[in-house]
């Protein structure tokens, strides 16, 4: 668990919780759910926070609706909603890699209509306003081009939540490329209008790039080669 701080101008602190790359179905879903309950849900239920953001890849791939992976993913999100309702916090769910989330965030659309809790599901690059912050949310999309991204990146905003690739985060991502026909590659210069940290999912390794861009890692080590620390991030 890692802690970072930033302050909004003339406003109180906002506490954020970030988790990403859960990949329900990558291992036994019941075991995943139990680990998340013990090591994540139980812990955040004991603290005060304002925003909980799931920064992409709730699912490992597309599953049948009656699968255990879907059942426990739905239970996990329901638990997150319940905790946010009690704390009057905002839940943000950002669409991840297409082959992983695979359109399955539709399962959670109903929460956006629930007036007892603030839930936002983000599937296109856009701004949301929550808890006094202007937040740029950037899901992983493909073949959109730099004009699409600069329409939001060139604005001014408090912080950014995204699922995607930043220069230096993985081998081969050596320069910004927003025109890629595959996934776009962002750089610190992409976020020139951002006044706070950029929180990322997608790369399964906790790291800080350029002093402002953070990957919170995946919460569970589910395959060989992932020997780094796993967990989630809390920003105060």
């Amino acid at each position: 668990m890692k802690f970072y701080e930033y302050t909004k101008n003339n406003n109180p602190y906002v506490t954020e919780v970030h988790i990403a790359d859960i990949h329900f179905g990558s291992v036994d879903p019941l075991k995943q759910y139990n680990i998340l309950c013990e090591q994540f849900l139980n812990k955040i239920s004991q603290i005060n926070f304002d925003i909980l953001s799931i920064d992409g890849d709730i699912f490992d791939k597309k599953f049948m609706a009656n699968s255990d992976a879907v059942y426990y993913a739905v239970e996990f999100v329901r638990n997150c909603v319940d905790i946010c309702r009690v704390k009057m916090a905002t839940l943000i769910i950002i669409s991840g890699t297409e082959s992983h989330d695979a359109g399955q965030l539709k399962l959670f659309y109903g929460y956006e209509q629930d007036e007892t809790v603030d839930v936002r599901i983000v599937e296109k690059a856009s701004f949301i306003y929550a808890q006094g912050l202007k937040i740029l949310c950037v899901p992983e999309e493909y073949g959109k081009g730099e004009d699409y991204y600069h329409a939001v990146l060139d604005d001014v905003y408090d912080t950014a939540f995204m699922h995607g690739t930043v220069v230096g985060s993985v081998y081969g991502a050596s320069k910004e490329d927003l025109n890629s026909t595959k996934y776009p590659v962002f750089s610190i210069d992409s976020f020139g209008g951002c006044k706070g940290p950029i929180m990322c999912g997608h790369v399964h390794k906790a790291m800080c790039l350029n002093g402002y861009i953070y990957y919170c890692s995946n919460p569970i080590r589910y395959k060989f080669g992932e020997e780094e620390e796993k967990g989630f991030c809390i920003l105060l």
Side-chain angles (χ1 to χ4, degrees):
M1 191 184 304
K2 301 180 184 297
F3 297 83
Y4 310 108
E5 290 190 6
Y6 76 101
T7 311
K8 301 179 298 172
N9 291 333
N10 303 317
N11 285 314
Y13 284 102
V14 170
T15 301
E16 303 172 14
V17 177
H18 288 266
I19 189 170
D21 301 289
I22 299 168
H23 289 277
F24 266 107
S26 58
V27 296
D28 181 88
L30 175 58
K31 290 182 179 179
Q32 282 182 287
Y33 177 72
N34 287 337
I35 291 170
L36 289 166
C37 285
E38 177 185 355
Q39 299 184 13
F40 178 69
L41 294 172
N42 289 347
K43 292 185 183 299
I44 67 168
S45 67
Q46 298 173 36
I47 65 172
N48 292 320
F49 63 87
D50 304 289
I51 296 173
L52 166 56
S53 186
I54 304 174
D55 298 330
D57 286 358
I58 292 177
F59 297 93
D60 191 56
K61 61 183 179 181
K62 183 177 285 188
F63 293 99
M64 295 290 290
N66 64 347
S67 68
D68 285 351
V70 168
Y71 176 80
Y72 286 108
V74 168
E75 281 294 289
F76 172 76
V77 171
R78 182 183 63 78
N79 295 154
C80 291
V81 169
D82 289 344
I83 294 171
C84 287
R85 182 184 290 112
V86 169
K87 297 182 180 296
M88 293 186 291
T90 299
L91 173 61
I92 300 170
I93 304 176
I94 296 175
S95 180
T97 303
E98 185 176 300
S99 61
H100 294 311
D101 280 336
Q104 294 171 108
L105 299 191
K106 292 178 181 177
L107 291 164
F108 313 121
Y109 283 179
Y111 288 124
E112 291 188 300
Q113 311 306 316
D114 186 340
E115 296 182 356
T116 69
V117 65
D118 185 16
V119 177
R120 320 290 184 89
I121 298 171
V122 186
E123 297 175 293
K124 298 197 178 294
S126 56
F127 293 107
I128 66 171
Y129 296 83
Q131 306 293 335
L133 293 177
K134 181 179 180 180
I135 304 168
L136 173 60
C137 294
V138 184
E140 186 165 284
E141 300 178 84
Y142 310 99
K144 292 294 187 180
E146 62 181 7
D147 290 344
Y148 173 81
Y149 289 107
H150 281 301
V152 289
L153 289 169
D154 293 347
D155 208 325
V156 177
Y157 42 97
D158 293 300
T159 186
F161 304 166
M162 67 172 288
H163 187 90
T165 304
V166 176
V167 169
S169 62
V170 295
Y171 178 78
S174 58
K175 63 180 181 179
E176 180 185 284
D177 185 2
L178 302 182
N179 286 317
S180 172
T181 56
K182 301 185 293 183
Y183 55 84
V185 178
F186 299 87
S187 70
I188 185 64
D189 295 329
S190 304
F191 300 94
C194 189
K195 297 188 289 184
I198 298 106
M199 301 302 300
C200 306
H202 184 54
V203 178
H204 298 183
K205 181 179 180 180
M207 68 181 92
C208 175
L209 301 170
N210 305 110
Y212 294 97
I213 301 175
Y214 297 94
Y215 280 92
C216 61
S217 178
N218 50 329
I220 299 171
R221 185 177 296 110
Y222 67 87
K223 64 182 179 181
F224 291 112
E226 294 198 342
E227 303 307 320
E228 304 88 357
E229 291 186 2
K230 302 300 179 184
F232 58 95
C233 290
I234 299 175
L235 288 82
L236 301 174

